[in-house]
Amino acid sequence: MEHKFAIFDMDGTLTDSMGFWNQLAEEYITSLGFQYSSQVMDATAHLTVLDSAALFVQHYGLPKTPEQVAADMNALMEQHYRTDVPLKPGAGSVLDRLQAAGWRMCVASSTSPHLLDICLRRLGLRDFFQFLISAEEAGAGKDRPDVYLEAARRMGSRPENTVVFEDVIFAARTAKAAGFTVAAIYDESSKHDQEELQKTADYYLTRWDDPGLLSWLGI
């Protein structure tokens, strides 16, 4: 594989944190006295935190701006990133091998770079990545390729020589359609989409210590 660049999603990909996020929205909405429905959860699946906040404001008639709601939710999630969001087993070893092989890497996430930085520093991983970028910064959620294309531009790469690591089907499809090589990793929050992920991705793994991954990456 003639690739030397990698873009990593974080939540559900590098970290086992989707459960925290799923619980966070419900925790926030119920703390305001509202019922959090599966319909609302499904509607926010591909949205940035700010776009999700805007939906909450509209759906529940909240007396706050989307920016205020997003700040409230990020403050709740920040505590988890500071204390108990775990790294997926084996991820650190893969990052170490990629760095040793001269790969340039970044994180592209729907989560704000401030929160990404807090978590990655606690886990001892921040120095692996050139930069952290959010979909919000790029101006669109991961149902559009903007964040991947901007990440590649900043690294000095092109889609055809960059691997995108993702755990959800819509993001994997977006990256694939934009010309990136896609590696998909299993996450419990997306367990019902695994068949589609396997069809979409160039490489599928259930764990970071997958015995064929490093060989596929050429390291």
Side-chain angles (χ1 to χ4, degrees):
M1 177 183 290
E2 297 300 320
H3 294 68
K4 284 289 186 178
F5 301 89
I7 299 171
F8 289 86
D9 173 57
M10 190 166 104
D11 297 297
T13 299
L14 290 173
T15 58
D16 192 5
S17 49
M18 288 308 299
F20 291 95
W21 275 111
N22 293 337
Q23 183 180 1
L24 177 75
E26 182 174 1
E27 177 186 357
Y28 179 72
I29 293 301
T30 56
S31 73
L32 300 176
F34 297 101
Q35 182 176 359
Y36 186 68
S37 68
S38 59
Q39 179 183 4
V40 174
M41 181 174 68
D42 292 343
T44 61
H46 68 280
L47 300 181
T48 65
V49 174
L50 184 59
D51 288 339
S52 296
L55 186 146
F56 293 157
V57 169
Q58 180 182 27
H59 184 84
Y60 295 106
L62 303 181
K64 293 187 175 186
T65 66
E67 289 77 12
Q68 289 171 325
V69 171
D72 290 344
M73 295 180 66
N74 282 333
L76 289 173
M77 191 63 193
E78 181 174 332
Q79 294 308 306
H80 290 298
Y81 282 130
R82 287 188 182 279
T83 58
D84 54 0
V85 167
L87 183 66
K88 284 195 167 181
S93 177
V94 172
L95 294 173
D96 190 61
R97 291 289 298 275
L98 286 169
Q99 185 181 66
W103 284 53
R104 302 177 73 181
M105 299 176 282
C106 71
V107 172
S109 172
S110 295
T111 302
S112 74
H114 168 68
L115 297 181
L116 297 176
D117 186 77
I118 287 171
C119 188
L120 291 171
R121 288 189 187 281
R122 177 177 63 83
L123 296 170
L125 303 179
R126 179 61 184 88
D127 290 344
F128 285 115
F129 304 110
Q130 283 191 276
F131 58 86
L132 315 173
I133 183 174
S134 70
E136 186 177 322
E137 285 181 275
K142 286 186 174 180
D143 55 336
R144 288 172 49 184
D146 303 49
V147 69
Y148 303 117
L149 295 172
E150 176 60 16
R153 186 193 69 79
R154 290 189 189 185
M155 286 196 298
S157 69
R158 304 178 307 279
E160 58 265 28
N161 67 351
T162 305
V163 181
V164 171
F165 290 87
E166 278 286 358
D167 65 294
V168 294
I169 184 60
F170 75 86
R173 285 172 174 162
T174 298
K176 184 70 174 175
F180 292 89
T181 299
V182 175
I185 185 167
Y186 175 84
D187 188 71
E188 182 67 17
S189 67
S190 302
K191 62 183 178 182
H192 299 301
D193 295 325
Q194 297 311 298
E195 183 177 348
E196 289 303 311
L197 269 174
Q198 291 181 54
K199 292 178 181 177
T200 301
D202 298 283
Y203 193 87
Y204 174 84
L205 57 153
T206 58
R207 294 173 57 90
W208 282 109
D209 57 4
D210 177 287
L213 176 62
L214 295 179
S215 177
W216 178 72
L217 291 169
I219 57 177

